[in-house]
Amino acid sequence: MIALLGLMVLAVDTLAPFLPSILWAFVLSVALTPAYKALLQRVGGRNLLGTWIIGVLMALILVLPIFGLSRALIAFIPEAIAWVSETGAPNLGLELSIPKEPDPVQGRVIEMWNSLVADLRLIRDHFGDELRPVAFWLIGEGRLIGTLVVEFALAVKLAPIMLHRADTMTRMFQGLPERIGEDFALQMGQHAVVTIR
């Protein structure tokens, strides 16, 4: 019994770095189950083909945009550090001037840009001292962006596997809520699935 408990502790310790990805994959697989079942009907019930299609679609729809956004944010961090270090960038943006014969859309965009720049300057001048510590904190937390992207990318790859094995996992865990908390636990599980979807 003690050996089994020790083995369980080692298993949890080994899986601990992957728990965020596993939880994201679980949420994604529950949320995408109706779409996956509809896709299976379209491909004639071929489970492996449906898994590949949903995996590729999830990578294209979820991972690529997040990867691009995180690269843009990471590239922005050095500029943000310079901006904060200079006590609030003195040149937030160039003033745009209205051409001699502006079209209505261009003139309105230029007015909105100038208004935004003026508002940002007022915020910088008024709240500069209070915003510096917050900005440094956000820049420091920016290092976690890469970790989040990797965890989510792994989850996007695990979710189709969970969908592919959904029937097996359902049979395996179906009696667990009833054994743990009887009807209440079963109802909570059903509410969780509805909430995720």
Side-chain angles (χ1 to χ4, degrees), residues 108-186:
R108 182 71 180 132
V109 169
I110 291 172
E111 288 175 23
M112 289 171 51
W113 176 256
N114 290 336
S115 173
L116 175 67
V117 168
D119 290 344
L120 288 175
R121 285 187 179 144
L122 283 171
I123 290 170
R124 179 204 61 210
D125 294 341
H126 189 72
F127 296 108
D129 292 336
E130 291 86 5
L131 288 177
R132 281 188 83 183
V134 172
F136 275 119
W137 177 79
L138 286 173
I139 290 167
E141 294 301 314
R143 62 186 160 69
L144 298 177
I145 292 172
T147 304
L148 175 67
V149 170
V150 170
E151 286 175 352
F152 195 74
L154 182 58
V156 165
K157 291 292 122 196
L158 285 174
I161 295 168
M162 287 182 170
L163 285 169
H164 184 71
R165 299 288 180 200
D167 294 336
T168 306
M169 291 175 67
T170 300
R171 282 192 306 273
M172 193 167 65
F173 290 110
Q174 198 165 26
L176 186 64
E178 293 172 0
R179 288 190 299 261
I180 292 175
E182 299 174 358
D183 291 337
F184 176 74
L186 188 58

Side-chain angles (χ1 to χ4, degrees), residues 6-192:
L7 186 61
M8 288 175 61
V9 168
L10 286 175
V12 169
D13 189 46
T14 303
L15 288 176
F18 302 102
L19 285 179
S21 295
I22 293 169
L23 291 174
W24 270 112
F26 178 74
V27 168
L28 287 171
S29 65
V30 169
L32 293 172
T33 297
Y36 179 69
K37 287 182 179 179
L39 178 65
L40 281 180
Q41 288 177 350
R42 289 194 179 262
V43 296
R46 291 180 287 188
N47 210 3
L48 188 60
L49 178 61
T51 302
W52 273 99
I53 291 171
I54 201 120
V56 169
L57 287 175
M58 286 173 60
L60 291 174
I61 293 171
L62 297 173
V63 173
L64 290 180
I66 290 173
F67 180 73
L69 179 63
S70 66
R71 285 185 49 111
L73 287 173
I74 290 170
F76 174 72
I77 286 176
E79 294 175 24
I81 291 172
W83 181 78
V84 171
S85 297
E86 294 171 0
T87 315
N91 298 319
L92 286 172
L94 298 173
E95 294 290 334
L96 298 177
S97 59
I98 300 176
K100 293 178 184 172
E101 298 178 23
D103 65 48
V105 173
Q106 183 182 16
R108 182 71 180 132
V109 169
I110 291 172
E111 288 175 23
M112 289 171 51
W113 176 256
N114 290 336
S115 173
L116 175 67
V117 168
D119 290 344
L120 288 175
R121 285 187 179 144
L122 283 171
I123 290 170
R124 179 204 61 210
D125 294 341
H126 189 72
F127 296 108
D129 292 336
E130 291 86 5
L131 288 177
R132 281 188 83 183
V134 172
F136 275 119
W137 177 79
L138 286 173
I139 290 167
E141 294 301 314
R143 62 186 160 69
L144 298 177
I145 292 172
T147 304
L148 175 67
V149 170
V150 170
E151 286 175 352
F152 195 74
L154 182 58
V156 165
K157 291 292 122 196
L158 285 174
I161 295 168
M162 287 182 170
L163 285 169
H164 184 71
R165 299 288 180 200
D167 294 336
T168 306
M169 291 175 67
T170 300
R171 282 192 306 273
M172 193 167 65
F173 290 110
Q174 198 165 26
L176 186 64
E178 293 172 0
R179 288 190 299 261
I180 292 175
E182 299 174 358
D183 291 337
F184 176 74
L186 188 58
Q187 290 173 354
M188 291 305 293
Q190 291 169 346
H191 288 302

